[in-house]
């Protein structure tokens, strides 16, 4: 699994002209699921996301977690994070998981993240054409990949 976490002042997901989710301060997470990902990857990522300390403390040092600032989260599925670009100029998504694998893992990630955070999180809609708006705060953008746990 690969994720891009963007610390945001606000973010929203719009589908067919209707806002599906919107948040204030928090994270916009783009989630890519590979064909070899498992629930173990979901659990590891959720723990890392909730524990990540990238919000400023009273001294202006990134030392607070999403829980400590009572932040919100939107998770958007994005298979393009699994792009392979080694051959030619047209990316391949051969390593992106098929729907029968990716949908349950996406739902598990969102569910476990919501439970760990202790509140509902926003989502996009799996497979939909989404318009994502955000104001990146910092900017702070973190990439995580479960294939690079060490």
């Amino acid at each position: 699994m690969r994720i891009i976490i963007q610390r945001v002042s606000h973010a929203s997901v719009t589908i067919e002209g209707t806002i599906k989710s919107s948040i204030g301060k928090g994270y916009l997470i783009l989630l890519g699921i590979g064909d070899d990902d498992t629930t173990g990857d979901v659990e590891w990522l959720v723990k890392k996301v909730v524990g990540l300390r990238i919000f400023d403390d009273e001294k202006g040092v990134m030392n607070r977690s999403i829980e400590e600032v009572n932040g919100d989260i939107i998770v958007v599925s994005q298979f393009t994070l699994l792009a392979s670009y080694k051959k030619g100029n047209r990316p391949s998504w051969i390593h992106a998981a098929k729907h029968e694998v990716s949908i349950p893992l996406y739902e598990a990630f969102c569910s476990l993240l919501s439970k760990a955070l202790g509140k509902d999180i926003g989502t996009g809609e799996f497979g939909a054409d989404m318009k994502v708006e955000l104001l990146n705060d910092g900017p702070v953008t973190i990439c995580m990949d479960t294939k690079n746990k060490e």
Side-chain angles (χ1 to χ4, degrees), residues 43-116:
E43 293 164 359
W44 184 84
L45 272 178
V46 166
K47 184 176 178 182
K48 290 303 260 186
V49 167
V50 172
L52 189 64
R53 298 183 324 181
I54 60 172
F55 289 96
D56 291 348
D57 63 15
E58 62 282 344
K59 295 179 182 175
V61 177
M62 283 194 259
N63 200 28
R64 290 196 173 141
S65 70
I66 188 83
E67 288 179 296
E68 291 172 303
V69 299
N70 195 29
D72 293 314
I73 298 177
I74 291 180
V75 179
V76 176
S77 63
Q78 190 163 2
F79 76 94
T80 60
L81 291 178
L82 279 290
S84 175
Y85 44 83
K86 291 181 180 180
K87 279 176 82 174
N89 293 318
R90 184 175 182 272
S92 166
W93 290 280
I94 193 166
H95 298 294
K98 305 289 185 248
H99 282 197
E100 57 271 9
V101 172
S102 56
I103 291 173
L105 289 177
Y106 171 78
E107 291 172 349
F109 180 80
C110 292
S111 177
L112 283 177
L113 189 55
S114 176
K115 183 177 179 182

Side-chain angles (χ1 to χ4, degrees), residues 112-130:
L112 283 177
L113 189 55
S114 176
K115 183 177 179 182
L117 198 58
K119 60 180 168 179
D120 291 339
I121 63 167
T123 62
E125 183 177 308
F126 199 91
D129 180 18
M130 296 174 274

Side-chain angles (χ1 to χ4, degrees), residues 8-25 27-29 72-77 106 110 120-126 128-135:
V8 299
S9 296
H10 61 81
S12 65
V13 177
T14 301
I15 302 169
E16 295 181 5
T18 302
I19 295 176
K20 167 116 173 50
S21 298
S22 66
I23 62 168
K25 180 180 188 173
Y27 295 155
L28 170 69
I29 298 177
D72 293 314
I73 298 177
I74 291 180
V75 179
V76 176
S77 63
Y106 171 78
C110 292
D120 291 339
I121 63 167
T123 62
E125 183 177 308
F126 199 91
D129 180 18
M130 296 174 274
K131 307 302 180 206
V132 179
E133 286 189 50
L134 68 137
L135 180 58

